[in-house]
Amino acid sequence: MHGFGGPEVLRLEEVPVPEPGPGEVLVRVHAVVLNPPDWYAREGMPDIPPELRPSFQLPLIPGTDVSGVVEAVAADVSGFAVGDEVIGLLRFPTVLQSGAYAEYVTAPASDLALKPAGIDHVHAAALAMSGLTAWQFLIELGHDHPSPFQEAQHRPMALDSGTTVLVNGAAGGVGHLALQLAKWQGARVIAVASGAHETFLRDLGADEFIDYTKERPEEVVRDIDLVLDAVGGPHSRRFLRTLKRGGSLYPVYFGQFDDEENAKLGVTVTAVTVRSSGAQLTELGSLVDAGRIRVAIDSTFPLAEARAAHERAAQGHLQGKIVLTVA
Ligand SMILES: NC(=O)c1ccc[n+]([C@@H]2O[C@H](COP(=O)([O-])OP(=O)(O)OC[C@H]3O[C@@H](n4cnc5c(N)ncnc54)[C@H](OP(=O)(O)O)[C@@H]3O)[C@@H](O)[C@H]2O)c1
């Protein structure tokens, strides 16, 4: 990217192979995944007030989620060797775009995990940001970095067979993995999505399905323990009325809430900003290898067609992840 704008600002160019710094490895990329921050960055984050807007240095190579093979290792790295197949969400959110739409990318070793053996690079890459987001919201935050958006630390609610979880946006990247993690914990899960995703979500274990194009979930469910709203944003507040006292709402994309209203209803609203974690990706990978969760792919495009992949993303209604393949 030499400038900000629509998908047309993505151009394929030859650049030098990057060199790993201390604590890093060089990864030969096989698959790289599209995530919402990629198009927020591509657009230059126009929705964020200028004083809060992160600055991106141009030219920029987007991409954070990668699956590939270790090509070189810095002298101080011990956990990985040349030839290892690895996956990672790279440097997030310290750096919002880490140059993964490429044939080679450098990666902090602490952000990497060995690729789950039972799946290919396309599916493995797709686990990174979405899987870590679902994990850090639902299972374990795994760090004590303060959040820029809330004072209290996010502490995931304990889930078991007595818990009912509603996942809104259940067919998307975060949603379909969150649904499966909640099922793995034993919870009863209500999935909300457009009707085309019903069979897919029931196959993943959804106990109930609500087609939001036919009925409003906030009008048909009550006494929910936890809503994970993977759509989030300004409309997330409508889910407060579906919660029982003591319940929680996790808006994955931040919305506007009123502390007084939350206190009156006896509910908690809490969120996280996902962080890179090789250790948590290892745990997610073992769930994949054990057949407990599966990663869905919406579509794949060759790296050279990143623009078409971003155009697909802009159409919405994703079922799983969009992945770029690198020859
Ligand atoms: N807090 C964090 O650290 C963090 C991390 C990752 C992502 N996020 C944010 O989380 C959001 C979701 O990310 P994602 O990667 O999962 O996106 P995604 O893959 O695009 O999924 C969004 C899903 O929501 C569904 N949807 C759209 N409108 C809906 C509605 N009104 N009601 C119910 N479902 C609706 C879409 O399909 P249908 O409409 O066909 O059902 C789609 O499957 C993004 O805003 C992203 O920025 C935040």
Side-chain angles (χ1 to χ4, degrees):
M1 282 169 49
H2 288 268
F4 301 105
E8 70 285 353
V9 301
L10 296 167
R11 300 208 309 240
L12 189 68
E13 284 182 4
E14 288 290 332
V15 295
V17 174
E19 289 193 14
E24 293 187 338
V25 308
L26 179 68
V27 177
R28 172 84 169 90
V29 179
H30 283 243
V32 52
V33 173
L34 271 67
N35 284 295
D38 304 4
W39 48 91
Y40 305 155
R42 194 201 70 218
E43 291 162 351
M45 304 208 167
D47 298 340
I48 303 203
E51 62 279 13
L52 298 177
R53 200 176 291 158
S55 61
F56 294 104
Q57 266 197 324
L58 295 171
L60 172 85
I61 303 177
T64 56
D65 273 20
V66 71
S67 182
V69 178
V70 174
E71 179 92 4
V73 177
D76 60 343
V77 170
S78 55
F80 295 98
V82 171
D84 283 347
E85 294 189 312
V86 290
I87 58 171
L89 163 65
L90 308 185
R91 303 183 186 89
F92 202 85
T94 316
V95 176
L96 295 178
Q97 293 295 309
S98 232
Y101 288 19
E103 293 172 311
Y104 293 93
V105 68
T106 60
S110 57
D111 293 351
L112 295 176
L114 290 175
K115 178 176 93 49
I119 54 174
D120 60 15
H121 285 289
V122 166
H123 289 79
L127 192 60
M129 179 181 281
S130 294
L132 286 173
T133 305
W135 187 271
Q136 290 170 19
F137 268 92
L138 290 180
I139 309 297
E140 192 194 6
L141 183 60
H143 66 80
D144 53 12
H145 288 269
S147 164
F149 300 111
Q150 68 182 46
E151 279 172 32
Q153 267 233 344
H154 177 77
R155 289 183 205 289
M157 168 188 288
L159 304 178
D160 58 30
S161 57
T163 323
T164 298
V165 178
L166 181 146
V167 179
N168 186 44
V174 176
H176 85 290
L177 293 165
L179 180 163
Q180 296 177 79
L181 288 178
K183 287 304 298 175
W184 169 59
Q185 294 288 290
R188 179 175 156 261
V189 177
I190 303 170
V192 180
S194 64
H197 303 303
E198 177 166 4
T199 308
F200 166 67
L201 292 169
R202 288 197 186 272
D203 281 351
L204 293 183
D207 298 285
E208 282 180 49
F209 176 81
I210 298 173
D211 177 351
Y212 72 84
T213 66
K214 296 209 172 113
E215 50 189 357
R216 291 170 178 271
E218 69 275 21
E219 283 170 8
V220 294
V221 295
R222 285 289 174 273
D223 291 332
I224 304 291
D225 295 285
L226 171 63
V227 172
L228 186 138
D229 184 1
V231 179
H235 302 299
S236 203
R237 197 165 155 184
R238 69 200 160 112
F239 285 108
L240 291 175
R241 70 171 103 152
T242 69
L243 295 171
K244 57 168 70 153
R245 287 191 82 76
S248 291
L249 170 59
Y250 299 168
V252 174
Y253 190 84
F254 224 79
Q256 297 247 302
F257 294 92
D258 172 357
D259 290 344
E260 265 181 44
E261 181 186 19
N262 301 346
K264 213 165 110 196
L265 293 167
V267 301
T268 304
V269 178
T270 166
V272 306
T273 302
V274 67
R275 291 197 84 85
S276 298
S277 169
Q280 290 179 336
L281 271 181
T282 301
E283 299 199 57
L284 278 159
S286 47
L287 288 179
V288 171
D289 275 339
R292 304 303 298 260
I293 59 174
R294 98 179 124 89
V295 187
I297 303 303
D298 177 90
S299 45
T300 61
F301 295 82
L303 177 65
E305 288 173 29
R307 177 194 295 199
H310 274 233
E311 283 162 355
R312 162 69 195 105
Q315 291 163 357
H317 301 294
L318 301 193
Q319 188 176 100
K321 301 298 295 180
I322 304 171
V323 185
L324 303 176
T325 53
V326 187

